[in-house]
Amino acid sequence: MAAKILIVEDEEKLARFIELELTHEGYDADKAGDGRTALDMALAEEYDLILLDIMLPGLNGLEVLRRLHNEKQTPVILLTARDSVMDKVSGLDAGAVDYITKPFAIEELLARIRVALKFRHVPESAGADGPQDTAASPGQTDGTLTWGALVLDDKRRTVSYEGNDISLTNREFLMLKLLLENCDIVLSRDTLLDRVCGYDYIGETNVVDVYIRHLRSKIDDVYGIKMIQTVRGAGYVIRRK
Ligand code: CA
């Protein structure tokens, strides 16, 4: 079945151009020209991916993203006219899987769409396309990884701490899983980026820092623990409890 993509862009010419390209690639594309319409459509329909402009009339893109992700975790790629680090980081903090700065080459947008769509079915694909050539954690039994009171269930794709469910995006989940599988092994930003975002990811390695920050704010900060450690100049590690 064709992936269903919502294009949220108030520049009508650009929106129509993207729509034509996506349709040509075999995707099923819808358009919205303002933030409120976009949010209504995104909540009413099951989209596989949303391309979301930041500067929009009505609600801006970041606000649409926040409200949408309160309800559901549809993957979002932000389209930003400004090459602003703040926009990108607030967007990634709010749960966007990627961003692209306008003006962009359509081939680059299509490449990023393919990468984002690869993460649609994590439970089926997580084992298959994540090569694990390092030792498994001793906490691993039938697809479950544990660290103290933290339990990651790979089959059910859930994470909990002291029995409380923690809601993670696909990439946050994959990053946590990779760190837990490699307990005591420092993983570089390049390794984390390759394994979590895929070898064809075009973004920058500091995106890894953003995902680590998401994980810390959802787990470490909430439960007052120091699970993910930064190893200066080397990467990140979870030390065995
Ligand atoms: Ca705009």
Side-chain angles (χ1 to χ4, degrees):
M1 207 175 69
K4 216 170 142 118
I5 302 177
L6 176 62
I7 304 155
V8 186
E9 172 61 66
D10 59 318
E11 291 162 50
E12 180 60 24
K13 262 178 79 178
L14 178 59
R16 280 178 51 199
F17 170 66
I18 297 173
E19 184 187 30
L20 276 173
E21 291 289 337
L22 293 188
T23 309
H24 180 72
E25 292 294 311
Y27 297 114
D28 188 355
D30 283 347
K31 283 191 315 242
D34 68 85
R36 280 186 196 283
T37 308
L39 184 61
D40 288 346
M41 288 174 76
L43 290 175
E45 289 279 331
E46 288 309 317
Y47 288 103
D48 296 298
L49 180 67
I50 299 174
L51 305 178
L52 182 58
D53 185 27
I54 292 186
M55 300 294 280
L56 287 170
L59 289 177
N60 75 40
L62 292 178
E63 194 54 37
V64 170
L65 178 60
R66 282 190 197 99
R67 295 195 194 182
L68 172 70
H69 279 189
N70 280 339
E71 306 290 326
K72 60 213 262 194
Q73 294 296 316
T74 312
V76 170
I77 296 178
L78 291 171
L79 311 177
T80 167
R82 295 171 291 173
D83 190 11
S84 147
V85 174
M86 265 322 288
D87 268 1
K88 293 168 187 170
V89 170
S90 353
L92 293 170
D93 272 348
V97 295
D98 204 352
Y99 58 81
I100 188 164
T101 306
K102 292 193 275 186
F104 47 79
I106 193 70
E107 293 75 20
E108 187 181 359
L109 178 65
L110 292 173
R112 289 180 184 226
I113 288 172
R114 284 193 293 274
V115 172
L117 289 174
K118 276 206 301 202
F119 290 93
R120 274 191 299 168
H121 303 295
V122 166
E124 289 80 15
S125 65
D129 58 16
Q132 268 104 49
D133 44 28
T134 41
S137 152
Q140 188 167 17
T141 49
D142 60 22
T144 303
L145 296 162
T146 58
W147 186 87
L150 183 116
V151 180
L152 180 150
D153 186 330
D154 195 24
K155 287 197 180 115
R156 291 173 51 230
R157 204 203 161 281
T158 56
V159 176
S160 65
Y161 193 89
E162 290 171 343
N164 302 306
D165 287 338
I166 299 166
S167 168
L168 299 181
T169 64
N170 289 343
R171 285 190 183 171
E172 291 162 7
F173 180 85
L174 290 173
M175 196 162 287
L176 178 61
K177 181 177 159 223
L178 197 59
L179 286 163
L180 287 169
E181 282 170 343
N182 294 280
C183 250
D184 288 333
I185 300 169
V186 178
L187 298 178
S188 69
R189 287 175 177 79
D190 283 332
T191 300
L192 287 164
L193 193 70
D194 286 345
R195 299 282 193 91
V196 172
C197 299
Y199 287 93
D200 45 356
Y201 183 73
I202 308 152
E204 304 140 34
T205 52
N206 63 9
V207 163
V208 169
D209 302 329
V210 175
Y211 289 118
I212 293 287
R213 199 142 44 78
H214 291 178
L215 284 171
R216 282 177 172 155
S217 75
K218 287 180 177 181
I219 305 171
D220 294 39
D221 297 353
V222 174
Y223 296 100
I225 54 174
K226 276 192 76 76
M227 178 176 64
I228 302 173
Q229 296 179 18
T230 306
V231 181
R232 210 166 284 279
Y236 294 101
V237 65
I238 293 180
R239 303 268 179 215
R240 198 158 288 159
K241 273 281 233 193

